[in-house]
Amino acid sequence: MLKYLLRRMAATIPVLLLVSLMSFAVIWLVPGDPAAAFLDSSASPEQVARLRHELGVDQPLPVQMVEWYGRILSGNLGESILLRRSVGAALLERLPVTLSLAGLALILAVVFGIAAGILAAIRRGTLADQSIMTLALLGLSVPDFWLGLVLIVVFAVGLGWLPSGGFVPITQSVTGWLATMAMPALTLALVQMGFIARMTRSAMLDVLHQDFMRTADAKGLSYRFVIMRHGLPNAMMPILTVIGIIAGSLLGGAVVVEQVFSLPGVGRLIIGAIMSRDFPVIQGGLLFLGLIYLVINLAVDLLYAAVDPRIRL
Amino acid sequence: MNWKNLALALSVGATALALSPIGGHAQTRGGDVVIAITQAPPTLDAQISAMQATRNITLHLFETLYARDENAKPVPDLAQGVAISPDGKTYTFALRKGVKFHNGKEMTSADVVASLERYRKVGASASLLDAIDTIQAKGSYEVVVKLKVVQSTFLDNLSSPRAPIAIYPAEEAAKGANQISYIGTGPFKFVEYKPDSHVKLERFKDYTPNPNYTKRDGFAGRKDVFIDTVTFRFMPEAGARVAALQSGEVQLVETVDGPTKKRLETNTAYKIYPALPFSFQILKFNHALAPTDDVNFRRAVTAALDMEEIMAISYPDIYQVDGGWVYPKSAFYVDAGLKSFNKPDLKVARELLAKSKYKGEKLIFLVDNLRPNIDTATVIQQRLAQIGVKIDLQVTDWPTAVKIGWSPAGWNLFAHGFGIEPFEGPGTVMAAWANGLSQQKDDPEIDRLYTALNAEMDASKRKALFAEFQKRMYDEAVAVKIGNYGLFQVATAKLKNFEPYRIPRMWGVTLDK
C-alpha cells in the first residue's frame, strides 16, 4: 500500500509542474494589466507607466518567471497587487467559505444522489424510478446561476426564511452558518446530485443481477442488508470515480454560486483578480486549486485501493 | 475671499445654523443602512484609486481641503478658506480648528502637508498636483502652497473626487500606497472590511459638522449623521441585489436596470431615485491611425450617427440627447459648436466619406463588455454600414480595452462612458484631450486652449476658452459626444432625505423604524 501511495504521489509532481507553468503563462495569455483597476480612462500614459512600475508588472517576463518559481518552491505564492498582502493568506482566509460550500454540497449530493440512485435501481421501471430519473435529468439541465436566483426569490424574498446572501462563519454562529450556506450548497448540490443518482442507478443495476447477490438473497439475508452490504460496495467503483470528478467540479461551480450569493470565497477572489488583472492572485489561485484537485484525485485513487484490493497489486 | 469676508460669511453661517431646521428639529436617529454596490473596491486608500467603488466608501471616511458642492463648484471643506496671492501662485489655506481624526487627534497643518506630499508620490491622479512647487506648514492651522506656474484650476484639482486628495494623519501619510490604517476626519469611522463581502462604517461620534454650512451640499456642506452604521455590501449579481432589497436585507441599491425600476416603482415600499446625468456616452477616434486620422472621415462618421437612436437603444429608460462637453447644470455649459450636434444625414456622410482616405478596409471598433457600450457599438456599426464603412467589433473586458485604448495602435474607434470628468469641469474634460491623451495625437489648438485655461484666473474668460474648445471638438470631429445617461437607484421608502449624487451619501439621511 505504501509503495502504491508513493507511486501515486510521484505521479502528481509532473502534473503539478505543468499546472504551475500554465498558471504562470496566464501573464502571456491574458491581455490588460492591473493599472486599469486603479486608474480610469483619462489617466496619462506616464501615470499608467508609473503605476505599472510601482506594481512591479513592468519587469521582463523571464525575470518574472524566475521570481515565480523561486517563490513557489519556497512555498510563497507572492503578494497580491490589489490587496497588498500575501496571496497565500488571502486564499486561506477565503478557503473556509469555499470548503464549507463545496463540502456541504458534496455531502448533500452524495447522500441524496446515492439514495435516489439505489431507490431507482431497486424499483426499476416503476413510477418512482421514472420520477427520480426525470428529476435527476432536470437537476443536470438547470443552470446553477438560474437555480440560485429562483431559490433566493422563493426562500429569501417570498418566504423570508433565509438570507439572500452573505456568509456567517461557523465559529460565529452555527445556525447563521447553516442559514447562509443552505441555498448556495443546495444550488451547487442539485446538479451533481442528478449526476450521482444516474451513475448509482446504472452501477447498481449491473450489480443487482450478479450471482453473489442472488446467493446472499438465497441465504435469507434481509433485502436491505443484501443491497447495502453486498450491492453498494460492489457498485462503488464507478460511483467513487464520479464523486472524485464532482469534488473537483464543485470547486469550479462554487465560483458561479459565490457570485450569485455574494459569498467571499476563493472563486470570488479569483474572479475579482481576473477582472482587475491581479496576476499573483490569479496565478496563486490557479496553482492552489490545481493542488486541491490533485489531492482530491490522489484521495480517490487511495480510496479505490481501499475498496478494491486488486488496485494495490 | 479675504479674511474679513470669511469672518462675515462665518457669522452669517452660524446665525443661519441656529435658525435652521437641522439645528433645532429632532430627526429620527439610529438605524443600520446596508447599501448593495456592484463592485468591491480595490483598496480603501482613497488617494490611490480612481474607481467609483472606492470613492463610494472612502468619501464617507475621508475629507479634503476643498470639496465639490452640489453643482460641482469647489468650496471649503476641511479648510476655512483660502487667500490667493495677487500673482496667483501662492495659496494660503486656513484650516478649520477642532477637526478631529477618528483616532482622536486634532487635524493640523502637519497632517495636511504630509497628505498632499504623499498624494504627489502615490496619488492615482498625482498630475492634479503637478503645478505645486512647495507645500509648507505655517503654524498649526495654515498651509502655504506655492505653485510653479499660475493654475486657475488648482482648487478644482484639489477638490477632485476622482481619486480624492484625502487628508490623513501625518503618521498614516508617511506610509506607502495601500498600507495605511483607515483613519480620516469624515462623518463615518471605519469598523471592518471583509474582502469580497462588505465594508462597515459607523457614525463618528466626535464628528463636528462644518459650522460654515447649514445643509448638505455635494461632497462638502453640513454632514449630519443620523444613522448608526452603514455597510457597503459587494453584490455582483443584479438579481441578488434587488432580492436583498425586497427581503429587507439592504436598504439601498446603487443601480438597477430599467425593467426592475418599472417593476418596483408601483410599490410604495420603495422609492426610485433617478440620477441623470451621471455620465457621458462618447465615441473616441484614434488620430494616430488611418483613416481615423482624417478629419473628413471623422466628420463622415459624425454625420452618419443618430444620437437619439444610439441613446434610446443603449440606455432606453434614462438618457438625454445633449452635445455639451460638460453637464447641462454646469456654469461652464456653452452652446458653441452645438449647431452641428446630432444632425444625422447619410447623404452628407457619404459625401464626406468620399473625400476621405477611407478605402473600404475593416476598422477596429474597440468596446468593453458592458451591455450599453456593446449596444452603442452595434448601433454605430449598423449605421456606418449604410454609408459603406466596415467595422470589426472587438469586445473585450475593461482592463483589456483600457490597455489597447490607451495605446496608439490596435484600434480606430472606442466607445465608453465618461462620467467623473465632466462633473469635475472644463479643466478635466480638456485634460483628457490635451497632449493627444485620448486621441493619441497632439492637437496643438486643444493644447493651446488647455494651457490658456489653466493660466486664466478670470472665470468668464475661462468660459470663453472652454467654448473655443467645444467648438474645436465639433469642427475637427475630435471625438463624438453621443449623449448623457443616468442610473436608477432604489431605496426602501423608510430611507428618508436621500438625494442621489456622485456617491450614495449617507449623511443627512434617516431610517424609519
Side-chain angles (χ1 to χ4, degrees), chain B residues 453-466:
Chain B
L453 181 102
N454 267 322
E456 182 54 66
M457 297 299 281
D458 183 286
S460 62
K461 286 181 185 162
R462 281 214 301 278
K463 191 169 177 176
L465 286 165
F466 181 68

Side-chain angles (χ1 to χ4, degrees), chain B residues 287-307:
Chain B
H287 295 209
L289 277 188
T292 34
D293 62 340
D294 180 352
V295 67
N296 281 321
F297 180 81
R298 298 197 300 266
R299 283 179 185 150
V301 171
T302 310
L305 302 182
D306 181 341
M307 311 307 174

Side-chain angles (χ1 to χ4, degrees), chain A residues 1 22 37-38 48 54 62 89 155 182 186 191 197 208 212 219 243 248 263 268 286-287 290-291 303:
Chain A
M1 183 71 181
M22 287 171 73
F38 286 98
V48 178
E54 259 177 46
F155 293 103
L186 193 62
V191 177
L208 283 177
F212 65 86
K219 280 196 294 186
I243 290 173
L263 292 171
R268 190 119 177 258
L286 290 180
L287 189 64
L291 193 65
L303 276 175

